[in-house]
Amino acid sequence: MPLPRRGREPRRAGSRTAGTSFPRATVRSPKRADCGAPLSSHAQHLTRRRHSSEQVPPGPEPQADFRSEKWLQECAGGDTKNSRQAPRAGMGSKHRICGQEEVVIPRASDNDSSVDLQLSDLEDIEKGPSSLELTDSDTSDIPGVLQESLTDSFRTLTYQGPLSEVITKRLIRSIQEFFDSDVKGELEKLTFLRSLSSLSRTLPYDESTESFIHSHIAYIVHILHLLVQEEPLHSLFSPVRQEVFVTIADLSYQDVHLLFGSEDRIDLFNLIIRSIITLPSVKTLTQLQEIMPSVPYKSECLYRQTFQAFSEMLQSLVVKDPHLENLDIIFKYLGPWLQSVKDHERERATTCMTQVLKCLSRHLSLKLPLRFQRLGHLVALMALLCGDPLKEVAEEAAEGTHHLLRITLRLKYVTHDKKNQESLRKAMKKCRELLELYSIKQFYSCPFKIAQVFEVFLNSNELCQFVMTTLDALKSLKHPCTQQLAGELLLTLVKNAESRFEKVPEIMGVICARLSIVNQPSVRQQIINTVSLFVSRPKYTDIVLSHLLCHPVPYDRHLAELWRTLEVELPSTTWILWRLLRKLQKCHSVPTQDKMTYVAVAATDALYEVFVGNKLRAATFRLFPQLLMTLLIQIHHSIGLTMSDVAIPRGLCTEKEMSSEVTPLRFAIQATKTLLLRTLCWREFNIMEKNKGWTLLEEKDYHLQGVSLLANALLEGNHLLAHKVMYLLVPLLNRGNDKHKLTSAGFFVELLQSPVARRLPNIYSFARLKDWLHHENNLYRVLGLRGLCYLLRHQEMREDVKSLLPCILDSLCETDERIVLLAMQILLHLLRAMDFTTLAAMMRTLFSLFGDVRPDVHRFSMILFGASIKSVKYTDKKGIENQVLDSLVPLLLYSQDENDAVAEESRRVLTICAQFLKWKLPQEVYCKDPWYSKPSEVGAICRFFGKKCKGKVNILAQTLIYFKNAKLPIRRAAALFVGLLSKFADYDELRIKGTDWIEDDLRDLLHDPEPSVRIIASQALFRVQEAAAEPEPRRTVCRLRMLMGCLPT
């Protein structure tokens, strides 16, 4: 006796062989019980016509108006003999009655009406499971969300009757024989599967059946795994797959789940999905049929029946799924196929998912806790599929999304916080407004609007899921339209969800990774706009910036494009640029470390890219003072560093070895240059270029000079910006590390030249400079003195500077040339304000600097000395006369200095001294030729000074001191001067003291390394000896002549 068919569509002969005599329980509609016609299953009705070998019977179900006309027509035609039945999951155990008694199964019909969730009576809802259901009165207002009517909500089923105990035992024995058999042909497989399916019907009333199945369930799963595994993946010539699906469905209706609960069951489920989804397309199967005509089954018909059975199997898993645990697993393993690049695989997965959602929405009875945690992923995938290039996929996804919205409404109602009813009420209101704004057809034909509607119900974690899934769709290179849709969905969701996102760093990571594979300019801009939305929201600004700064520098072209093309609303531009700037400033606030922080380099490069893009131009102008100073400070920190001196985070590596030209200093310089150009500081940029200002900035010893050059250029070309920088620097001078303070101080000091500096409180200008004069770092002392020089230009501040005279005078003794020169400049301005004691002390110090090895110090000491002489009052002249006399020989000798500036200044100051002494110098003094080339003129000079200084100052002893001078011209001039001066020396003095002390020094000079010095020293020694040996009469005659010269004529 052949097995009766289970209410399926008619099969080809041989599809079920007569190899067994075991009867099978069948389900018949009461209306067709007399005819004995088999019923089509509920899944058969749910499946589209293109997945069925027979025509689907027309029913009272009105089609949703977002589907195409052709699609509606296809779904409307078919065999009118087939009726529809509810899934067996609708039956409770108490409804499964033996015999011909009718079993009533409550079921929602296909007639739809609008639903909404009203919260006005929320407080009165009971806490029982039944109270969690949405009633028609609770859900009635949201347009486009269809609700099952109760008109056709009940179906009746009748069983033929329970199987006898004998038949049950025979079924068990047959199954056991299959377990033990080694030969498993197609006939044996089908017999086993149908026996197991028939036996499952006895579970509600037969304990022996229940015991047998539950004790062998692991082996049954193993057998089913082998049966599916043995089926070829690239062809379909056997109904074994179909019978496996039917058997699993029948057991699922009896609460025996073979696909969930353990690892081997999950493996079976995954294998089943892969075995049906990866089958070739129907066209390919038909072609295989033509190649192999001997196959007893028609491939197209068998495929549609198999797919129908698979769809019913999936629905059987969710019919009774109050916690949505099964839905979670189904989506986990079916989800990847929804994104398949193969059209037929994607279409099958979409159809299955749609049928699962439809079945679930009609039999939804939720209970806490809910275990479906992938709502965001599912919504995103369905939305993407609604825009699929394949029309059939888009239509299926549209219907699935329609049912998913109904499920989401109920799910959120069940899980919402009862204490915060207002949030759900607002969400429902927003959803209603959006659905009223768009018709159903318009809503589902524009998938990005799905994001607007679902967004109101998604929590932060689900929003992140939506974004991640959408970003994954950007990898779809085969379908550019999918990339376009993903960009629209992403931008729409982020724009509407505002600040409800979590895991923003992970989102940014995926976005940056996807940029490199998106080639469509419009999609790239949508992605960049999404980043712009995130970064413009204060909650996420620092998070986004921190992530973007954790990429290798220099940025690749994709990240560079992102930085350059940020589209931010004007009010947010300053905030974003300020936060990026703060990232860099914080690196300057910590003490100087062995290695520079990577964020400092990355933020500098990011600022450069932002300046190049010029999208934040208004903010750049507004923050120019902060940007300029921060970049100058970064330059100071970067001097001499390479990328090996940067603390690069672990795991951050570049694809290729970084060039040696890539240095932190290069990033800082190029950012500073771009800043000047973007803020229209053309004049300042030109000054820096012409005066090699950028080179100065890059040098450790000349960095402050470069800073001063730029500050002066800015003060000259754009005094308004300069003043803004000055006011900014007032608080910055005491912040940050040493390099931060030093660069700020260098720029600030130059700005003190501005008249606006007079407005600064004394504590911020003069008092700060005074403190720097005592700083242990000479650079601060230099800056302090330079600042005092500038303050002297403001008349009202001269008295303050004058109070620092003692400290400034002490600076003349410093070894740092810059300190000495600046001190001299200040003293030059304060000469008229000095008292005589201070002036005399300063002149003594200046005199000690004559001959200083530092040419500028030497020259400026003579300049200040000469100016001091001029500033002496008439009444005080006698007090410095000796000081002036003592300076004559040094000035005279240094007029022969190899440095023309020093020589010229010596002659000029010598003239001032002569004027002070009321002398008239001989013209030979102003001769610029070397003395050794014109000894006769030197003789005239010696005669003049020997005569004028006689009895006032021992110029011969003074000259001997310069025999050991380091400069060759000075030693040579001193030797020549001593030799010629000996002829005009006081004979009595020579007789008393002798000439040995002179001769000894000249003999030492005979060993000088320079031959010309040795020759002149030898000649001088001869002249001294000759002068000493000259007889007394000559001296008498000379004295007589002098006496006669003094007599009146």
Side-chain angles (χ1 to χ4, degrees):
M1 171 179 166
L3 285 171
R5 283 176 280 191
R6 286 179 285 173
R8 299 263 190 275
E9 297 181 45
R11 289 183 172 81
R12 293 171 53 90
S15 66
R16 287 190 179 272
T17 63
T20 178
S21 59
F22 304 137
R24 180 184 291 266
T26 59
V27 182
R28 297 180 181 276
S29 169
K31 297 180 181 180
R32 300 180 58 86
D34 296 337
C35 302
L39 278 174
S40 64
S41 68
H42 179 54
Q44 176 182 351
H45 169 71
L46 295 175
T47 311
R48 289 284 168 266
R49 175 179 178 273
R50 58 180 174 276
H51 296 291
S52 175
S53 60
E54 303 294 338
Q55 296 293 323
V56 178
E61 177 182 9
Q63 303 298 333
D65 59 0
F66 52 80
R67 293 174 287 186
S68 67
E69 181 179 356
K70 178 180 178 182
W71 192 60
L72 296 176
Q73 291 172 354
E74 287 182 355
C75 295
D79 183 7
T80 58
K81 293 181 179 181
N82 290 332
S83 63
R84 315 172 78 181
Q85 76 176 50
R88 286 179 290 273
M91 296 186 295
S93 298
K94 62 183 180 179
H95 293 137
R96 299 187 179 95
I97 304 174
C98 302
Q100 300 295 327
E101 184 178 357
E102 290 187 353
V103 181
V104 180
I105 301 178
R107 174 183 174 278
S109 75
D110 297 334
N111 297 326
D112 297 326
S113 62
S114 298
V115 299
D116 188 14
L117 187 61
Q118 302 291 344
L119 301 178
S120 56
D121 299 324
L122 189 63
E123 295 83 356
D124 300 330
I125 296 178
E126 297 179 0
K127 295 182 179 180
S130 61
S131 66
L132 298 177
E133 294 297 327
L134 299 178
T135 65
D136 290 338
S137 61
D138 291 330
T139 57
S140 59
D141 295 335
I142 295 185
V145 182
L146 307 180
Q147 170 73 11
E148 311 288 356
S149 68
L150 299 178
T151 308
D152 191 24
S153 62
F154 297 98
R155 302 291 187 198
T156 58
L157 295 177
T158 59
Y159 283 119
Q160 280 184 329
L163 299 179
S164 66
E165 184 177 351
V166 175
I167 295 176
T168 302
K169 289 182 178 179
R170 290 175 63 187
L171 289 171
I172 294 175
R173 186 169 61 253
S174 174
I175 295 170
Q176 189 66 53
E177 289 175 356
F178 184 82
F179 287 164
D180 301 332
S181 173
D182 294 332
V183 181
K184 294 181 173 62
E186 181 178 327
L187 178 60
E188 287 77 11
K189 294 177 182 178
L190 294 175
T191 301
F192 163 72
L193 292 170
R194 291 170 183 173
S195 298
L196 185 59
S197 180
S198 296
L199 187 63
S200 68
R201 309 295 176 85
T202 68
L203 280 171
Y205 56 84
D206 194 321
E207 294 182 357
S208 63
T209 299
E210 183 178 3
S211 174
F212 174 78
I213 290 179
H214 282 288
S215 63
H216 291 82
I217 196 165
Y219 196 62
I220 292 173
V221 171
H222 175 68
I223 293 295
L224 294 180
H225 193 282
L226 291 177
L227 295 180
V228 176
Q229 203 169 32
E230 291 172 359
E231 291 298 303
L233 293 176
H234 304 294
S235 61
L236 183 64
F237 299 131
S238 167
V240 171
R241 276 194 187 91
Q242 176 186 351
E243 290 300 330
V244 170
F245 302 155
V246 171
T247 300
I248 293 174
D250 287 341
L251 287 169
S252 295
Y253 287 133
Q254 305 302 333
D255 294 330
V256 178
H257 296 290
L258 301 181
L259 302 180
F260 305 141
S262 64
E263 186 176 349
D264 56 340
R265 300 184 194 186
I266 293 296
D267 290 342
L268 174 60
F269 182 48
N270 193 21
L271 177 64
I272 286 174
I273 291 178
R274 187 170 65 253
S275 72
I276 188 68
I277 298 295
T278 58
L279 281 174
S281 64
V282 176
K283 182 179 179 181
T284 304
L285 291 174
T286 304
Q287 292 173 348
L288 289 174
Q289 176 79 37
E290 296 173 354
I291 297 172
M292 305 175 65
S294 61
V295 177
Y297 304 100
K298 186 179 180 181
S299 294
E300 183 177 354
C301 179
L302 182 59
Y303 161 73
R304 299 189 188 281
Q305 291 177 349
T306 303
F307 188 84
Q308 170 186 315
F310 175 71
S311 179
E312 180 180 355
M313 180 198 75
L314 292 179
Q315 294 175 66
S316 72
L317 302 176
V318 298
V319 165
K320 291 189 294 183
D321 190 17
H323 302 292
L324 300 183
E325 185 175 6
N326 294 347
L327 176 64
D328 187 76
I329 298 175
I330 290 173
F331 179 60
K332 177 180 179 181
Y333 292 99
L334 192 60
W337 299 106
L338 294 171
Q339 305 173 75
S340 174
V341 295
K342 297 182 180 179
D343 291 344
H344 65 278
E345 292 180 354
R346 197 168 62 257
E347 181 182 359
R348 288 169 187 163
T350 305
T351 301
C352 292
M353 197 71 239
T354 296
Q355 298 306 317
V356 167
L357 293 173
K358 183 175 182 179
C359 178
L360 181 62
S361 69
R362 292 178 174 180
H363 303 88
L364 195 62
S365 179
L366 298 178
K367 295 180 182 178
L368 297 175
L370 297 179
R371 293 188 172 87
F372 182 59
Q373 304 299 328
R374 303 170 186 267
L375 181 60
H377 290 302
L378 181 54
V379 173
L381 275 180
M382 297 305 290
L384 288 166
L385 290 169
C386 284
D388 196 274
L390 193 64
K391 182 180 179 182
E392 290 80 0
V393 173
E395 291 172 344
E396 287 288 350
E399 183 183 1
T401 308
H402 154 71
H403 295 296
L404 181 57
L405 180 56
R406 291 177 52 199
I407 296 171
T408 303
L409 290 175
R410 299 190 183 188
L411 187 150
K412 293 301 177 180
Y413 176 67
V414 170
T415 58
H416 86 282
D417 186 2
K418 301 300 186 293
K419 296 180 181 179
N420 190 12
Q421 300 175 13
E422 189 62 29
S423 62
L424 182 61
R425 194 185 304 276
K426 290 180 179 178
M428 296 300 299
K429 181 180 179 182
K430 183 177 180 181
C431 178
R432 186 185 304 114
E433 292 173 352
L434 287 170
L435 290 175
E436 287 175 352
L437 183 63
Y438 312 122
S439 66
I440 291 293
K441 186 173 183 179
Q442 182 187 10
F443 177 69
Y444 288 107
S445 63
C446 300
F448 71 91
K449 295 177 182 175
I450 296 174
Q452 290 180 296
V453 174
F454 276 90
E455 172 269 324
V456 300
F457 298 110
L458 301 181
N459 59 33
S460 58
N461 185 51
E462 292 163 348
L463 287 171
C464 182
Q465 293 176 1
F466 188 104
V467 171
M468 290 298 192
T469 305
T470 306
L471 289 171
D472 282 341
L474 294 174
K475 295 185 294 185
S476 179
L477 303 179
K478 183 179 178 181
H479 301 297
C481 61
T482 302
Q483 281 193 347
Q484 183 72 33
L485 176 58
E488 293 177 358
L489 284 171
L490 187 64
L491 190 58
T492 302
L493 186 75
V494 175
K495 187 180 296 183
N496 286 274
E498 296 181 349
S499 301
R500 296 194 292 116
F501 288 94
E502 293 180 355
K503 301 180 181 178
V504 175
E506 289 84 348
I507 294 174
M508 289 298 107
V510 178
I511 286 178
C512 294
R514 296 291 180 269
L515 271 176
S516 60
I517 62 175
V518 177
N519 296 322
Q520 299 183 68
S522 60
V523 180
R524 292 179 67 85
Q525 191 56 51
Q526 286 173 337
I527 297 174
I528 293 173
N529 289 346
T530 301
V531 178
S532 302
L533 285 174
F534 273 116
V535 78
S536 62
R537 288 169 183 159
K539 180 179 179 181
Y540 303 129
T541 303
D542 286 341
I543 298 174
V544 174
L545 292 178
S546 296
H547 181 82
L548 294 179
L549 294 178
C550 289
H551 286 79
V553 291
Y555 295 117
D556 59 32
R557 64 184 183 88
H558 307 292
L559 273 176
E561 179 188 4
L562 191 155
W563 283 114
R564 295 180 185 187
T565 57
L566 284 174
E567 289 287 348
V568 184
E569 295 181 359
L570 187 61
S572 301
T573 55
T574 303
W575 165 252
I576 294 171
L577 193 56
W578 168 245
R579 295 312 301 168
L580 178 58
L581 184 62
R582 284 295 297 155
K583 296 284 184 183
L584 181 54
Q585 289 177 342
K586 287 179 180 179
C587 300
H588 302 157
S589 300
V590 296
T592 305
Q593 301 174 347
D594 294 337
K595 286 196 171 186
M596 176 179 286
T597 58
Y598 182 78
V599 173
V601 182
T604 305
D605 194 21
L607 286 172
Y608 164 72
E609 299 295 351
V610 169
F611 297 153
V612 171
N614 210 24
K615 289 288 186 179
L616 308 182
R617 185 180 182 187
T620 304
F621 275 99
R622 188 172 301 161
L623 296 177
F624 175 81
Q626 295 91 331
L627 289 167
L628 179 61
M629 290 311 308
T630 304
L631 289 174
L632 289 176
I633 293 168
Q634 176 63 16
I635 291 174
H636 197 172
H637 281 83
S638 304
I639 294 174
L641 299 184
T642 63
M643 290 305 294
S644 61
D645 299 312
V646 179
I648 300 177
R650 182 176 299 177
L652 186 66
C653 58
T654 56
E655 296 180 359
K656 56 184 179 180
E657 189 175 352
M658 194 170 295
S659 170
S660 59
E661 296 180 358
V662 177
T663 63
L665 184 59
R666 173 194 167 191
F667 292 125
I669 290 291
Q670 71 178 7
T672 308
K673 289 181 178 179
T674 312
L675 173 64
L676 292 179
L677 295 175
R678 284 306 189 192
T679 50
L680 307 181
C681 295
W682 307 105
R683 181 188 180 95
E684 294 79 356
F685 185 87
N686 188 45
I687 291 175
M688 292 294 289
E689 288 282 337
K690 284 186 175 182
N691 295 277
K692 298 182 179 180
W694 305 117
T695 303
L696 292 174
L697 285 174
E698 295 174 358
E699 297 292 334
K700 180 179 180 180
D701 296 332
Y702 301 102
H703 173 72
L704 286 181
Q705 293 185 32
V707 171
S708 298
L709 179 63
L710 181 55
N712 280 286
L714 187 66
L715 188 61
E716 178 183 350
N718 198 329
H719 61 277
L720 291 178
L721 281 179
H723 296 160
K724 290 182 179 180
V725 175
M726 182 173 65
Y727 287 121
L728 166 73
L729 289 175
V730 168
L732 285 183
L733 294 175
N734 291 328
R735 297 180 187 173
N737 55 32
D738 292 339
K739 292 182 179 179
H740 181 286
K741 294 177 181 177
L742 199 55
T743 303
S744 301
F747 207 99
F748 174 77
V749 163
E750 298 302 321
L751 299 180
L752 292 177
Q753 303 174 68
S754 171
V756 179
R758 293 177 297 184
R759 304 176 188 173
L760 292 176
N762 189 282
I763 191 175
Y764 297 132
S765 55
F766 174 75
R768 186 163 280 159
L769 298 177
K770 179 181 177 181
D771 293 339
W772 289 349
L773 292 181
H774 303 284
H775 202 283
E776 59 184 6
N777 189 337
N778 281 350
L779 292 175
Y780 279 101
R781 301 178 68 180
V782 170
L783 294 175
L785 291 168
R786 184 186 294 273
L788 293 176
C789 288
Y790 294 144
L791 292 184
L792 286 172
R793 300 182 183 184
H794 312 308
Q795 191 64 36
E796 60 273 19
M797 306 190 78
R798 295 178 71 90
E799 287 298 322
D800 292 330
V801 178
K802 181 182 174 181
S803 64
L804 298 177
L805 269 176
C807 181
I808 297 172
L809 286 172
D810 292 340
S811 299
L812 294 176
C813 301
E814 291 290 336
T815 56
D816 192 314
E817 180 179 3
R818 293 168 297 178
I819 295 177
V820 177
L821 293 177
L822 288 169
M824 290 179 180
Q825 289 184 33
I826 297 173
L827 293 171
L828 192 61
H829 287 88
L830 295 177
L831 285 175
R832 300 292 179 183
M834 291 184 190
D835 58 77
F836 177 74
T837 304
T838 304
L839 184 64
M842 181 188 71
M843 292 180 69
R844 286 192 294 271
T845 304
L846 292 173
F847 179 75
S848 67
L849 295 175
F850 285 6
D852 194 277
V853 293
R854 299 164 292 186
D856 288 337
V857 173
H858 184 179
R859 186 167 66 89
F860 275 99
S861 64
M862 292 190 294
I863 292 174
L864 184 56
F865 188 84
S868 301
I869 295 174
K870 287 183 177 182
S871 66
V872 175
K873 297 178 181 179
Y874 180 79
T875 55
D876 298 325
K877 284 187 176 183
K878 201 67 177 174
I880 65 167
E881 184 177 353
N882 290 335
Q883 184 70 55
V884 173
L885 289 171
D886 289 338
S887 67
L888 294 177
V889 170
L891 291 172
L892 186 62
L893 293 176
Y894 281 115
S895 67
Q896 296 297 300
D897 195 277
E898 58 190 0
N899 187 316
D900 293 339
V902 172
E904 184 63 32
E905 192 61 38
S906 296
R907 287 189 285 268
R908 191 184 71 82
V909 176
L910 189 60
T911 303
I912 295 174
C913 292
Q915 292 173 352
F916 177 84
L917 297 172
K918 297 181 180 180
W919 295 354
K920 184 179 180 180
L921 294 176
Q923 287 300 316
E924 290 81 0
V925 172
Y926 303 104
C927 180
K928 296 182 180 180
D929 297 328
W931 281 357
Y932 64 84
S933 64
K934 295 182 179 182
S936 59
E937 294 183 358
V938 180
I941 296 173
C942 292
R943 184 183 300 108
F944 176 81
F945 280 97
K947 177 181 177 182
K948 291 292 185 180
C949 295
K950 191 173 184 178
K952 297 179 180 179
V953 60
N954 190 348
I955 59 175
L956 194 60
Q958 279 186 323
T959 308
L960 294 179
I961 298 174
Y962 292 91
F963 281 4
K964 297 181 180 181
N965 194 281
K967 294 182 178 182
L968 169 62
I970 306 303
R971 295 199 307 275
R972 193 159 48 201
L976 183 60
F977 189 76
V978 167
L980 295 175
L981 186 63
S982 62
K983 293 173 61 176
F984 308 102
D986 188 349
Y987 179 80
D988 294 335
E989 184 177 354
L990 290 178
R991 190 183 58 183
I992 295 172
K993 293 183 178 181
T995 59
D996 294 341
W997 54 285
I998 301 175
E999 294 176 9
D1000 291 342
D1001 287 345
L1002 285 172
R1003 288 190 180 95
D1004 291 339
L1005 206 58
L1006 292 176
H1007 303 287
D1008 193 275
E1010 173 59 35
S1012 62
V1013 175
R1014 295 199 296 269
I1015 293 173
I1016 295 175
S1018 176
Q1019 293 174 351
L1021 180 60
F1022 175 77
R1023 290 190 181 102
V1024 170
Q1025 292 174 345
E1026 185 181 29
E1030 188 174 342
E1032 177 65 21
R1034 183 177 178 273
R1035 293 291 179 183
T1036 305
V1037 173
C1038 291
R1039 289 178 183 175
L1040 180 60
R1041 288 178 181 174
M1042 293 173 60
L1043 178 61
M1044 293 177 65
C1046 294
L1047 294 175
T1049 57

